[in-house]
Amino acid sequence: MNDLIAQIEHARSIIAARISVEPQIALILGSGLSELADDIDNPTIVPYAEIPGFPSTTVAGHRGDLVIGRLAGQPVAVMRGRFHFYEGHSMQQVTFPVRVLHALGCTTLLATNAAGGLHADWRVGDLMLITDHIFLPGLAGHHPLRGPNDERLGPRFPAIVGAYDRELLALIRASANDLGIPLREGVYLMLSGPAFESSAELRMCRLLGADAVGMSTVPEVVVARHMGMRCAGLSLITNLALPDGPPANHQEVLDAGAAARPKVAALIRSFLSRIGRVATTPTSPDRP
Ligand code: HPA
């Protein structure tokens, strides 16, 4: 990208001209979860197609707009639909929106996704708090920070240890506990997709220490951490991804998202209502 900062500023200014609330918390809603944005008070809706530098979404079940307003009293910017590497976008394009949300004032990112559960005793509809990740495409060279680094955005070699913020995780646990929502925890492994995994690949994922597998989230978290944003992630287990189980399919992913929506919405609202002070304190880019 030529002059990334100028592109971020261009996109930021187009959005900023339309909004009256400065968002502090960025939410990315994954497959089947987009309708959570319908709960936002006085929303300003900006279609991605009207934001310079944003690619357009192509996946059924993913909408494409940015919704800015208040949710549970907090100023939020919600990505209704995200960009995936498997759509053909570069890792830089996939993560460009996070750069723009940061420029708009967001200091916290909560990313949600649909994921395949790698444990036989997990159930469709379970929620998993992401405690760490494995970035397979990134390790293989498809990394959003590859290429020249602009120190104004973040350091050349950002730390990813502790990327999922301890305080935010504690708030989500407390919210789940209050609401009586069982919460699993574990490592999210991102692979590029779009094909679902082979049996041997699923065995590999388990051997690597993953608890859930999916095709998103990690690039956005890495770039958010590059800029010092606080991050948290939630996976909705939409299917079990077991070496000897039935193959996954996209429709079950969407159906599970729809069924779990009220639970996820309640959890996110509760989390937001607790967040206040934490959200306004960005961390240094390489602080665990
Ligand atoms: N594999 C990869 N990505 C996914 C899955 C899966 O089983 N379920 C939802 N996203």
Side-chain angles (χ1 to χ4, degrees), residues 165-189:
D165 189 273
R166 241 178 287 117
E167 283 171 294
L168 298 183
L169 265 49
L171 295 181
I172 296 174
R173 287 187 192 108
S175 295
N177 193 42
D178 272 10
L179 293 165
I181 297 174
L183 198 57
R184 304 210 179 263
E185 301 200 5
V187 174
Y188 175 86
L189 183 147

Side-chain angles (χ1 to χ4, degrees), residues 31 113-117 188-189 191 193-197 202 213-216 236-241 248-249 252-253:
S31 304
N113 59 50
Y188 175 86
L189 183 147
L191 20 72
F196 289 112
E197 305 70 40
L202 290 173
V213 63
M215 305 175 191
S216 69
L236 171 64
I237 304 303
T238 54
N239 57 286
L240 294 188
N249 69 74
E252 72 181 341
V253 170

Side-chain angles (χ1 to χ4, degrees), residues 95 98-99 102 106-109 132-133 143-145 153-166 168 217-232 281-288:
T95 54
V98 177
R99 301 265 187 216
H102 178 257
C106 292
T107 53
T108 296
L109 170 68
D132 203 348
H133 69 226
H143 199 289
L145 302 180
L153 292 171
R156 169 75 289 183
F157 301 108
I160 300 298
V161 169
Y164 299 86
D165 189 273
R166 241 178 287 117
L168 298 183
T217 302
V218 175
E220 293 111 308
V221 166
V222 166
V223 164
R225 286 302 303 145
H226 183 236
M227 300 181 293
M229 295 174 76
R230 289 176 179 266
C231 296
T281 318
T283 59
S284 80
D286 48 10
R287 192 210 81 150

Side-chain angles (χ1 to χ4, degrees), residues 82-93:
R82 59 149 62 82
F83 303 104
H84 299 87
F85 184 63
Y86 64 73
E87 293 174 85
H89 309 306
S90 69
M91 284 292 186
Q92 283 78 13
Q93 289 173 311

